[in-house]
Amino acid sequence: MFGYARRVKISARQLLDDLLDPDSFVSWDRPPVEVAAAPEYRVELRAAAARAGVDESVLTGEGLLRGRRVAVVACEFGFLAGSIGVAAAERVVTAVERATELGLPLLASPTSGGTRMQEGTVAFVQMVKIAGAVAAHKAAGHPYLVYLRDPTMGGVFASWGSLGHMTFAQPGALIGFLGPRVYEALYGHPFPEGVQTAENLYRSGVIDGVLPVPLFRRIAHRVLNVVCGKDFPADLDDVVAAHPARPAFGSDYVAAESNSSAWRSVLISRKPDRPGIRQLLRRATDRVPLSGTGQGEADRTVVHALARFHGRSCVVFGHDRAGQTRENTMGPAALREARRSMQLAAELRLPLVLVIDTAGASLSREAEERGLAPEIARCLADLVMLDTPTVSVLLGQGTGGGALALLPADRVLAAGHAWLAPLPPEGASAIVYRDTAHAAELAATQRIRARDLHADGIVDRIVGEHPDAAAEPTAFAHRMVGAIAETLDELRAGAPAELRAARRSRYRRLGLVTEVSSNTPGHVVDGSGNRFYGRNGDLQ
């Protein structure tokens, strides 16, 4: 989402005109509060107001964005370089608190040189109360979206400019903490060129995208559709009927799956043309991709986004088959991105859908030194305790800790030929037999295939492949998306505390041997919705 470089100043008024529906903006601003100021500074304030045509460096209010009511906070760089002093900070905080009280989404667009030097330290510490107000707004479950304009520097970027659930920036914008002029004065040489740019911060995983205001308007609309729009579950039977290419179900499905070897499933899961997470997202609406951890890391072996599956809003995160190679496998940053998605889902009160499809985590010095194992542990702990419904989808390969990190969920779905194992079968064979010739044998004895995982209570539901997903990518993707949507429906009524308790109980008893009647229903689901029975019962 970038590709622009020319720096252009956008005034607050221009931003509001381009962002909001015509004539919908209503100002919330009152005259700025009085602050202690020397006579020279008062003269400077009056001159700034005359030049900029506004009474402070911030404009606040509300308006409509494609008909949806939103609160807005926008800096005006023409007023003392958009700097934030006590009066400007009070205006920002008052607007944020009002947005929280009214339950409105908040769109903030800073452009600032930082805090106001004329007011000294007292202006500097205003960032604390602004950050606190934004945190309270987010804690109340309301969206906070940020659009950084050229330039956004210093304490503004280091506080409310960096707290967005999603953060985008103006093409070519200068964005950073320490200003280049200050850096050169302090250190005697210029700051490295190209570092403090919107495009570089996007590449580095600090922000989610770089786009002009009209495109940000469209993206913000999509975000609010997902986060604020009510679920409108489509009739899944109608969705199925709309895709007649879906193969019919027959009794041979269970027999075929039952007789299919674990090793055959492993080989099928490795087909390069097998559909992955991107094919699932193509069947979603209101897709909004996220990028990176927000903390300066990005791993292109994973994908995360906001989306709606058949009208059900969710946060989606998972392994990307298209981004993985033998040399490029998921590292610690991918798991930190996963944890960002978990936090986002919890803050926005959205279900979380996790997609497992990985040949394994990175085996490298860098992965070890940057904390791969601790990140796996944190993902496991976070997921078990997450206060929002969770669905894990075992889509293809499920190797090692990188797969396990995305597994703990309220419900686990699996493609017919998906599998989950502590190592690829070849690796397990190398440990047990000191060769790779026994890989197929170990794949069977370790019970890694979807049908065995279902019988052992690890997987709740299997979505069939006819004969494998690569042979019917569109039909399979529709079936899987339909299964995800149905599962989200099942979880909607659960209170967070109840879901969390049930999730902990589920994994607490996993692997324990219990007496189960052979007639106890579990189920495997294919495209037609028919149920078949597994030996350990229906965990749903």
Side-chain angles (χ1 to χ4, degrees):
M1 270 200 223
F2 68 92
Y4 307 83
R6 190 167 61 91
R7 293 180 60 186
V8 177
K9 295 288 190 299
I10 301 173
S11 72
R13 294 289 186 190
Q14 182 183 346
L15 173 85
L16 297 174
D17 287 344
D18 290 344
L19 182 62
L20 301 176
D21 297 351
D23 302 319
S24 69
F25 177 70
V26 177
S27 177
W28 287 351
D29 294 337
R30 296 179 178 178
V33 298
E34 290 290 333
V35 297
E40 297 84 358
Y41 178 37
R42 293 192 183 280
V43 171
E44 196 173 354
L45 289 173
R46 287 193 295 271
R51 282 193 305 271
V54 294
D55 61 0
E56 248 301 342
S57 62
V58 176
L59 302 183
T60 72
E62 66 172 274
L64 300 179
L65 195 156
R66 294 195 174 185
R68 187 185 299 279
R69 191 179 174 196
V70 297
V72 289
V73 174
C75 282
E76 174 50 67
F77 194 80
F79 189 103
L80 296 182
S83 58
I84 302 298
V86 172
E90 186 62 25
R91 182 171 284 183
V92 172
V93 170
T94 300
V96 175
E97 291 174 342
R98 185 169 177 177
T100 306
E101 182 181 350
L102 294 172
L104 295 180
L106 177 59
L107 279 59
S109 183
T111 172
S112 174
T115 58
R116 197 164 295 172
M117 295 297 104
Q118 295 90 330
E119 296 181 27
T121 301
V122 70
F124 176 55
V125 298
Q126 297 299 302
M127 299 307 102
V128 177
K129 73 180 184 185
I130 299 177
V134 169
H137 182 80
K138 294 169 65 176
H142 306 309
Y144 178 60
L145 305 183
V146 174
Y147 184 73
L148 304 170
R149 291 166 22 241
D150 180 56
T152 303
M153 304 297 293
V156 172
F157 180 48
S159 57
W160 54 291
S162 292
L163 292 175
H165 286 117
M166 299 185 74
T167 303
F168 299 92
Q170 175 191 351
L174 177 69
I175 300 170
F177 180 58
L178 186 60
R181 185 190 308 169
V182 175
Y183 179 91
E184 187 167 0
L186 292 175
Y187 299 107
H189 55 87
F191 192 79
E193 190 174 349
V195 173
Q196 294 178 316
T197 66
E199 289 76 11
N200 185 54
L201 295 185
Y202 167 72
R203 285 189 293 265
S204 301
V206 177
I207 62 176
D208 291 298
V210 180
L211 48 139
V213 178
L215 187 51
F216 174 66
R217 170 180 159 86
R218 289 169 51 191
I219 293 294
H221 171 66
R222 288 186 197 170
V223 172
L224 298 181
N225 278 349
V226 174
V227 177
C228 303
K230 293 182 179 180
D231 282 354
F232 52 95
D235 187 322
L236 290 178
D237 291 335
D238 291 342
V239 172
V240 165
H243 303 287
R246 199 186 71 183
F249 176 81
S251 59
D252 61 329
Y253 166 72
V254 171
E257 287 294 309
S258 185
N259 294 329
S260 177
S261 72
W263 182 242
R264 179 169 176 265
S265 287
V266 170
L267 296 179
I268 287 174
S269 75
R270 291 173 175 173
K271 288 186 176 182
D273 54 349
R274 183 177 176 86
I277 187 173
R278 292 182 183 273
Q279 283 70 33
L280 299 187
L281 283 170
R282 288 189 191 121
R283 274 83 200 164
T285 56
D286 291 315
R287 298 182 303 272
V288 181
L290 294 91
S291 178
T293 62
Q295 300 175 22
E297 292 180 289
D299 190 317
R300 303 310 177 191
T301 67
V302 293
V303 169
H304 50 148
L306 300 182
R308 302 186 77 145
F309 289 127
H310 295 324
R312 287 79 164 178
S313 296
C314 57
V315 177
V316 182
F317 177 87
H319 305 118
D320 180 16
R321 297 176 62 87
Q324 299 177 67
T325 64
R326 184 179 294 273
E327 294 76 26
N328 184 36
T329 52
M330 63 174 293
L335 296 174
R336 285 189 269 272
E337 290 190 46
R339 294 179 64 214
R340 180 193 173 193
S341 289
M342 296 172 202
Q343 182 181 359
L344 189 67
E347 288 183 351
L348 294 176
R349 314 318 199 239
L350 291 176
L352 175 65
V353 175
L354 300 154
V355 178
I356 299 170
D357 195 3
T358 179
S362 176
L363 300 176
S364 66
R365 173 178 175 174
E366 181 186 30
E368 297 293 341
E369 292 178 345
R370 297 181 66 186
L372 178 64
E375 284 303 324
I376 293 172
R378 294 182 188 109
C379 281
L380 295 174
D382 288 353
L383 277 176
V384 170
M385 298 302 293
L386 201 64
D387 279 334
T388 197
T390 52
V391 178
S392 184
V393 180
L394 188 55
L395 195 60
Q397 300 183 81
T399 300
L404 185 68
L406 306 188
L407 180 72
D410 300 309
R411 299 288 187 273
V412 179
L413 313 183
H417 288 296
W419 53 276
L420 180 70
L423 285 174
E426 297 91 335
S429 178
I431 289 176
V432 176
Y433 295 104
R434 298 182 183 276
D435 61 39
T436 60
H438 296 78
E441 177 185 338
L442 278 173
T445 59
Q446 287 189 321
R447 299 178 59 80
I448 70 174
R449 63 179 180 166
R451 194 167 189 84
D452 294 325
L453 298 172
H454 176 266
D456 291 339
I458 296 169
V459 163
D460 299 301
R461 180 173 180 175
I462 298 176
V463 177
E465 304 182 36
H466 306 290
D468 69 72
E472 43 142 18
T474 300
F476 170 77
H478 281 297
R479 277 202 303 280
M480 182 59 81
V481 166
I484 293 170
E486 280 187 350
T487 306
L488 291 175
D489 275 351
E490 294 169 8
L491 296 172
R492 287 171 68 192
E498 294 171 351
L499 288 171
R500 188 175 63 242
R503 198 183 304 137
R504 291 184 64 190
S505 176
R506 168 196 179 104
Y507 290 97
R508 172 66 179 83
R509 68 175 184 266
L510 197 64
L512 299 180
V513 178
T514 57
E515 290 292 330
V516 181
S517 165
S518 61
N519 293 322
T520 302
H523 68 262
V524 177
V525 178
D526 126 304
S528 65
N530 293 332
R531 260 74 168 161
F532 288 80
Y533 297 102
R535 73 181 190 196
N536 273 11
D538 185 348
L539 298 178
Q540 300 194 73

